[in-house]
Amino acid sequence: MVLKITIVLDPQSRRRLHNSQMAQEQIGMFQVLSIDFCPKESHVATFVDPYSFPILYHPNCNNLVKEHMQSLAQKAGICISLDEYPKIRYYRPRDPWYEPAVLCSHLARFVQEEIDSYARANPDFQTPKRSPAALLIIDRSMDLYSPLVHEFTYQAMAQDLLGIQEARKTTYKVVLNQGQPDEEEKEMEIGENDKIWVENRHRHMQDTIQKLMGDFRKFMDENPHFTQTDAKNATSLNAIKDMLAGLPEFKTLKEAYSLHLSMAQECMNLFQERKLVELAPIEQSIATGYDEQLRKPRNVADQVVRLLDDDAITPRDRLRLLLLYILYRDGLLRSDIEMLLAHAQLPPTDGEVIDNLVHLGLRVHRSLKDPRPVPPPVFAKPAPTSYSEEYGLSRYDPGLKTMLEEHIRGTLDQSLFPFTRPDLDRADSAASIDQSAASLRAKPTWAKTRWNSSEPRQRIIVFVAGGATYSEARSCYEISQQTSREVFLITSHLLTPFFFIRQVKDLSADRRRLNIPADRPKPRAPAHLFEITRVPGLADQNAAPVDAMAGLRLGPGAGTSVNKYAEPVPPKIPSNLPPSGGDKVKKDKDKFKDEKEKKDKKKHHFFSSKKF
């Protein structure tokens, strides 16, 4: 028998298998399949574990952190699935004053131990087939702007604004054939099999709409089912949706276009209704540190107060703006925060969200005479000299993207992102010197016109503890397209702004309300395993019933509602029971033995010379 499991067994379970004679006789080969993850996209995988966030950051979950990080390290076996033995680097904050600041260093050590252990047991795993991969381990505290800033690329904007259901499958309800007799509401899946989605999800919303309309016009040219009048009217999303309703012979294509045209139209409607066109510029100035004129932003407080007073902006967006402003100022006076909450007409419970950011490394409150300056950003980027005005509301790049760019250039600060093995620092420095010397004699890499697709690409695996955003997923794809690297994003779960705020709020909730799997009652074995059964023909009619699980009895009254997980107790035998079948057989054997000895004695006397 070949035993294959999808998760690394804990040491106790390994010992039980190793010491069990029955297991050794039955199992011919034991193999661990490193597939304990859910591939969401071609280069994005999650563990579908939103409980990872409270375990890592909730102050009352400290006793769960070590075991959880060991579990995450085992799941990092995705490196094994990719057949990569990577060099590991991790995020180490400059000012580690908060407790989870050591999270990445411990997690990196656990991952290194797991991969080293696998490499020792599998020598072939250490054979490099391409340039060694890099595994970059970061956590959510490295970049708190990314889950709060409004993103205007198609996927991130749709996940933020629309009611997309995110589970094992991503689905969205859309009305098909609206206004027609066969109108219906259908829940449609959005995934890798949807070519329109894959092609447009990382485009800016403006480009997405233009692409959808351009593709539809191309479709009209290839299909003579429209009149010239119809072609001239195909200038808006609503007009195209109405024209698609008259195409029953192209049902699949019609439904796909109806889905994405509806999603794009709904996103733009909400963009106007929620005044995001006014909210986004100040968000970008706060997150980037420069305004639309590429200068240091001025009158930020006045702009924030004005927007907090606007009834057209939803309470959820007001809270996001207030959180961004506190991040920008690196904390405020407690009285100022209370005044801003009241001015924004937000409930006092939203103050818990603000206070809980302290667990992610933000000093929320300042004293009146606090002399500390605003700390520099993790990645100090100079303001660009110019940018496209049509993308002025998308100037902010997640910290993850800057980290990848600096890693590829070889300029990533090793004090901020050290290796798990100090010798790799020196090895990388020596390799850089060798490459610089070789570049004087060989053709430089920048002289290549394009990357040779036949060459294996070096891989970069980014693991984000505590959840990653859709803008960070987009950044991984963009770096893969722009460079010779292939970037993969691994995380416990994907975050939307609303879900991130909800999880931050739960950091002050009673742990019992979080329903963390480790706090749930332990699963019980099925009751039928402990039922008493009679085995006919093997016992006397008056014998006690045979307990099929007597050797595995877990406590008094096993098979009933009594606690089945008590210490093992041997079965009690009543003293008034009649002799069992086993006792009768034993007596018969003793009687037969005595009669045989008497016969042997008589034979001996008969052949002897002694006479009686």
Side-chain angles (χ1 to χ4, degrees):
M1 178 179 70
V2 177
L3 178 62
K4 297 185 178 182
I5 61 174
T6 59
I7 188 171
V8 179
L9 291 178
D10 58 275
Q12 182 180 0
S13 299
R14 294 180 192 176
R15 286 194 297 270
R16 290 182 62 185
L17 275 177
H18 181 74
N19 298 332
S20 171
Q21 182 179 356
M22 179 180 296
Q24 295 299 322
E25 293 175 354
Q26 297 292 330
I27 299 175
M29 184 177 70
F30 180 81
Q31 185 177 4
V32 178
L33 302 179
S34 301
I35 56 174
D36 192 21
F37 56 88
C38 176
K40 298 293 292 185
E41 299 176 7
S42 61
H43 286 65
V44 177
T46 74
F47 302 144
V48 197
D49 184 15
Y51 295 101
S52 180
F53 186 90
I55 291 175
L56 295 176
Y57 297 108
H58 197 290
N60 294 332
C61 293
N62 289 341
N63 63 318
L64 302 177
V65 173
K66 181 179 178 181
E67 182 180 353
H68 181 66
M69 286 200 294
Q70 289 175 335
S71 173
L72 290 177
Q74 292 175 357
K75 291 179 180 179
I78 190 171
C79 298
I80 299 172
S81 300
L82 293 172
D83 199 21
E84 294 288 357
Y85 195 175
K87 297 178 180 180
I88 301 176
R89 302 180 73 172
Y90 61 92
Y91 171 58
R92 183 170 63 188
R94 292 189 180 95
D95 184 14
W97 62 270
Y98 57 103
E99 195 170 7
V102 297
L103 189 155
C104 292
S105 62
H106 289 307
L107 181 56
R109 177 169 56 86
F110 286 138
V111 173
Q112 186 72 69
E113 291 173 355
E114 286 291 334
I115 296 180
D116 289 346
S117 176
Y118 181 86
R120 287 192 296 269
N122 300 270
D124 294 341
F125 177 66
Q126 304 183 45
T127 304
K129 300 176 179 58
R130 56 168 64 84
S131 299
L135 173 60
L136 305 177
I137 297 177
I138 63 176
D139 77 298
R140 188 64 273 154
S141 68
M142 189 190 82
D143 181 8
L144 295 178
Y145 286 107
S146 182
L148 295 173
V149 173
H150 281 90
E151 172 84 11
F152 298 116
T153 52
Y154 182 31
Q155 181 185 39
M157 189 175 182
Q159 290 284 352
D160 184 5
L161 302 181
L162 305 182
I164 294 178
Q165 299 297 321
E166 191 70 38
R168 293 285 179 178
K169 293 182 179 180
T170 304
T171 58
Y172 180 71
K173 285 186 178 180
V174 62
V175 177
L176 301 175
N177 304 323
Q178 191 170 8
Q180 302 294 324
D182 56 345
E183 177 181 327
E184 64 171 331
E185 185 180 54
K186 185 175 182 180
E187 193 171 73
M188 298 186 64
E189 182 180 353
I190 306 171
E192 294 299 295
N193 294 328
D194 187 341
K195 295 182 179 179
I196 300 176
W197 172 255
V198 172
E199 187 176 357
N200 293 281
R201 63 188 172 194
H202 298 140
R203 282 195 173 98
H204 192 275
M205 180 57 74
Q206 179 179 348
D207 298 333
T208 299
I209 293 175
Q210 292 177 356
K211 183 70 166 59
L212 289 173
M213 296 177 66
D215 290 346
F216 183 75
R217 292 193 187 97
K218 181 179 178 182
F219 171 77
M220 289 192 300
D221 294 338
E222 296 174 351
N223 296 273
H225 295 85
F226 298 98
T227 63
Q228 293 297 324
T229 303
D230 292 331
K232 293 178 181 178
N233 291 333
T235 57
S236 67
L237 295 179
N238 287 328
I240 294 175
K241 286 171 59 180
D242 294 340
M243 295 164 66
L244 282 171
L247 287 174
E249 63 271 25
F250 296 100
K251 182 179 180 181
T252 303
L253 182 63
K254 180 180 69 173
E255 290 182 354
Y257 271 105
S258 295
L259 169 66
H260 294 290
L261 290 167
S262 297
M263 289 174 60
Q265 184 64 55
E266 184 64 20
C267 284
M268 295 310 299
N269 292 341
L270 292 173
F271 179 80
Q272 298 294 336
E273 292 173 9
R274 294 166 59 168
K275 286 194 174 181
L276 297 185
V277 68
E278 297 182 17
L279 189 62
I282 184 62
E283 287 185 352
Q284 293 294 314
S285 297
I286 288 174
T288 60
Y290 56 89
D291 59 16
E292 294 173 298
Q293 285 73 40
L294 304 178
R295 295 176 299 187
K296 185 177 180 179
R298 298 179 180 180
N299 303 321
V300 175
D302 294 340
Q303 297 180 60
V304 169
V305 170
R306 179 180 59 82
L307 290 169
L308 291 178
D309 195 34
D310 194 334
D311 293 335
I313 296 177
T314 64
R316 188 183 300 177
D317 289 336
R318 281 180 244 157
L319 178 58
R320 288 168 65 173
L321 177 60
L322 181 54
L323 292 171
L324 287 169
Y325 181 62
I326 296 173
L327 277 170
Y328 174 71
R329 293 289 303 274
D330 192 41
L332 296 172
L333 296 175
R334 185 180 294 273
S335 58
D336 289 347
I337 294 177
E338 293 173 355
M339 290 176 59
L340 288 172
L341 281 170
H343 186 75
Q345 302 179 25
L346 296 174
T349 53
D350 284 345
E352 297 178 11
V353 181
I354 298 173
D355 293 338
N356 290 342
L357 286 177
V358 71
H359 302 302
L360 280 82
L362 173 66
R363 288 187 171 96
V364 176
H365 300 110
R366 282 177 172 265
S367 61
L368 188 59
K369 297 182 179 180
D370 192 343
R372 77 174 190 268
V374 176
V378 177
F379 303 100
K381 294 178 63 177
T385 56
S386 63
Y387 68 92
S388 176
E389 292 186 4
E390 58 183 347
Y391 301 123
L393 300 183
S394 299
R395 304 192 306 273
Y396 174 73
D397 284 329
L400 182 146
K401 183 175 183 180
T402 308
M403 177 191 70
L404 289 171
E405 291 173 343
E406 292 191 3
H407 172 77
I408 293 172
R409 288 197 301 263
T411 59
L412 188 61
D413 188 351
Q414 292 191 8
S415 64
L416 195 60
F417 290 89
F419 290 86
T420 52
R421 292 176 174 171
D423 57 308
L424 292 179
D425 296 359
R426 295 188 295 270
D428 269 27
S429 299
S432 299
I433 295 173
D434 292 342
Q435 289 177 1
S436 299
S439 64
L440 298 175
R441 301 182 297 270
K443 184 178 180 181
T445 55
W446 49 261
K448 295 182 179 180
T449 56
R450 60 180 180 177
W451 181 256
N452 188 353
S453 59
S454 63
E455 298 179 19
R457 303 172 68 186
Q458 185 184 22
R459 288 168 169 169
I460 302 175
I461 304 166
V462 182
F463 177 73
V464 185
T469 66
Y470 289 94
S471 59
E472 290 170 336
R474 169 184 57 81
S475 298
C476 292
Y477 284 96
E478 289 177 347
I479 295 296
S480 295
Q481 294 170 358
Q482 296 168 4
T483 67
S484 59
R485 309 301 199 275
E486 189 175 15
V487 185
F488 295 86
L489 176 65
I490 314 298
T491 186
S492 55
H493 60 298
L494 289 170
L495 290 169
T496 61
F498 172 72
F499 190 52
F500 172 72
I501 291 176
R502 194 179 82 180
Q503 289 205 302
V504 172
K505 186 176 182 178
D506 286 342
L507 294 181
S508 58
D510 189 332
R511 172 173 161 177
R512 292 170 294 183
R513 291 176 49 200
L514 301 179
N515 195 29
I516 296 174
D519 293 338
R520 298 172 187 170
K522 301 296 182 183
R524 295 175 177 268
H528 68 269
L529 295 177
F530 305 98
E531 293 178 355
I532 298 176
T533 58
R534 295 181 180 273
V535 184
L538 298 181
D540 191 69
Q541 292 292 333
N542 297 324
V546 178
D547 188 348
M549 301 297 291
L552 300 177
R553 186 182 297 276
L554 299 177
T560 66
S561 60
V562 182
N563 180 16
K564 302 175 184 178
Y565 296 91
E567 292 295 325
V569 178
K572 295 182 179 180
I573 302 177
S575 57
N576 58 350
L577 284 179
S580 64
D583 295 337
K584 184 177 179 181
V585 172
K586 184 178 179 182
K587 291 181 179 180
D588 292 343
K589 288 183 177 180
D590 294 341
K591 183 178 179 181
F592 176 77
K593 182 178 180 181
D594 293 341
E595 291 178 354
K596 184 177 181 183
E597 290 178 354
K598 289 180 181 181
K599 289 181 181 180
D600 292 342
K601 187 174 181 181
K602 286 182 180 180
K603 289 181 180 179
H604 175 74
H605 290 162
F606 179 82
F607 288 104
S608 65
S609 57
K610 186 177 180 179
K611 294 183 180 179
F612 292 93

